[in-house]
């Protein structure tokens, strides 16, 4: 009996250690660049509000209020600080007129977040039509929600990402923005998953951009080298989304 107890104690100890290691891993995120975030917070063209579930970026109209009736629920890449996307997505909100809700995924990993889109769309109740999208593995999760969530989004936006589930007959409007030098969601991987999207999906490749260029969080292991100015990438992403939704 003592030997059995020792074995059980050892097993529990190993499991506890594994849980601690995983939690440390999950909470070690790629932090957002502070100057880029400040540029977003001080942008007069948008307002930004943070909630437990997500961050809401609202475009400001000429009358000083929001006129947005369309929105985008954006899911961050794995272990990337949601605030790392403020600068790029504030540009999207300003150019397209979309209200953007950046989710705060459970354990910083989209696949552990089982909440429906309503948990995030409820943060912007005046928005009537929703797109769902995301960066990297956040985009993979967005594909799953686009094809199954009760909200029934009108479209899908992939930022340095691609789908793993079949959306060919979904009727969704789809935009895929990729980077020429993306070392993770490579051009070859995006092309290889193209058959899972509707035939009329729109594809935009940003010349010289890499995987991390879709946010502002520094160098990412395994990525290619960016040759682009950050402000120019922001502008091109915003223009691509505005053309898609306009």
């Amino acid at each position: 009996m003592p030997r059995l107890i020792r074995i059980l104690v050892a097993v529990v100890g190993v499991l506890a250690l594994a849980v601690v290691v995983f939690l440390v891993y999950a909470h070690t995120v790629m932090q957002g660049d502070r100057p880029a975030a400040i540029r977003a917070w001080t942008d007069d063209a948008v307002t930004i509000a943070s909630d437990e579930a997500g961050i809401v970026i609202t475009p400001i109209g000429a009358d000083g209020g929001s006129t947005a009736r369309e929105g985008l629920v954006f899911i961050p890449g794995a272990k990337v600080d949601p605030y790392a996307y403020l600068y790029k997505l504030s540009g999207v909100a300003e150019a397209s007129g979309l209200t953007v809700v950046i989710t705060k995924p459970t354990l910083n990993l989209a696949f552990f977040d089982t909440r429906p889109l309503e948990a995030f769309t409820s943060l912007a109740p005046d928005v009537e039509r929703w797109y769902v999208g995301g960066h990297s593995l956040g985009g993979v999760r967005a594909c799953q929600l686009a094809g199954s969530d009760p909200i029934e989004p009108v479209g899908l936006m992939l930022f340095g990402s691609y789908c793993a589930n079949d959306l060919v007959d979904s009727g969704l409007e789809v935009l895929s923005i990729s980077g020429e030098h993306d070392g993770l969601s490579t051009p070859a991987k995006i092309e290889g998953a193209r058959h899972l999207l509707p035939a009329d999906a729109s594809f935009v490749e940003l010349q010289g951009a890499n995987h991390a260029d879709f946010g502002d969080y520094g160098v990412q292991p395994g990525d290619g080298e960016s040759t682009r100015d950050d402000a120019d990438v922001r502008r091109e992403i915003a223009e691509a989304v505005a053309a898609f939704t306009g």
Side-chain angles (χ1 to χ4, degrees):
M1 184 63 71
R3 182 170 180 272
L4 177 59
I5 292 175
R6 288 197 299 271
I7 292 174
L8 289 175
V9 169
V11 169
V12 170
V14 170
L15 290 175
L17 178 60
V19 169
V20 170
V21 169
F22 173 75
L23 290 175
V24 170
Y25 164 80
H27 284 92
T28 304
V29 300
M30 288 174 273
Q31 294 292 338
D33 179 68
R34 182 176 174 80
I38 290 174
R39 287 196 293 273
W41 282 103
T42 56
D43 186 348
D44 292 336
V46 300
T47 62
I48 299 175
S50 182
D51 180 270
E52 183 178 348
I55 308 159
V56 182
I57 306 174
T58 305
I60 301 301
D63 61 353
S66 172
T67 59
R69 292 295 176 266
E70 293 188 326
L72 166 66
V73 172
F74 177 93
I75 305 172
K79 289 166 54 65
V80 179
D81 179 5
Y83 291 93
Y85 297 98
L86 284 181
Y87 178 58
K88 298 293 169 44
L89 294 180
S90 63
V92 166
E94 179 179 355
S96 66
L98 294 173
T99 291
V100 180
V101 178
I102 307 172
T103 72
K104 296 179 179 178
T106 303
L107 295 175
N108 299 301
L109 294 164
F111 286 104
F112 285 100
D113 197 337
T114 59
R115 290 172 293 181
L117 285 176
E118 195 275 334
F120 312 109
T121 61
S122 62
L123 301 179
D126 292 336
V127 174
E128 298 168 354
R129 285 165 38 100
W130 285 96
Y131 296 87
V132 61
H135 175 228
S136 192
L137 287 177
V140 178
R141 176 59 177 154
C143 294
Q144 295 175 339
L145 288 170
S148 64
D149 193 87
I151 290 289
E152 296 185 356
V154 298
L156 170 69
M157 298 187 203
L158 300 171
F159 300 80
S161 186
Y162 49 89
C163 287
N165 56 305
D166 191 336
L167 295 176
V168 171
D169 298 321
S170 63
L172 291 164
E173 304 167 16
V174 178
L175 171 65
S176 171
I177 308 176
S178 60
E180 178 189 17
H181 294 166
D182 192 325
L184 300 174
S185 297
T186 64
K189 289 179 180 178
I190 289 174
E191 180 61 30
R194 187 172 187 152
H195 68 284
L196 296 172
L197 299 176
D200 61 352
S202 299
F203 288 82
V204 176
E205 183 176 271
L206 305 180
Q207 299 302 303
N210 67 2
H211 196 70
D213 275 332
F214 289 96
D216 291 282
Y217 53 88
V219 177
Q220 186 165 1
D223 200 2
E225 183 176 350
S226 174
T227 59
R228 297 299 306 281
D229 176 76
D230 196 47
D232 288 342
V233 173
R234 178 183 189 255
R235 174 180 52 78
E236 290 189 17
I237 292 173
E239 289 175 349
V241 173
F244 174 65
T245 60

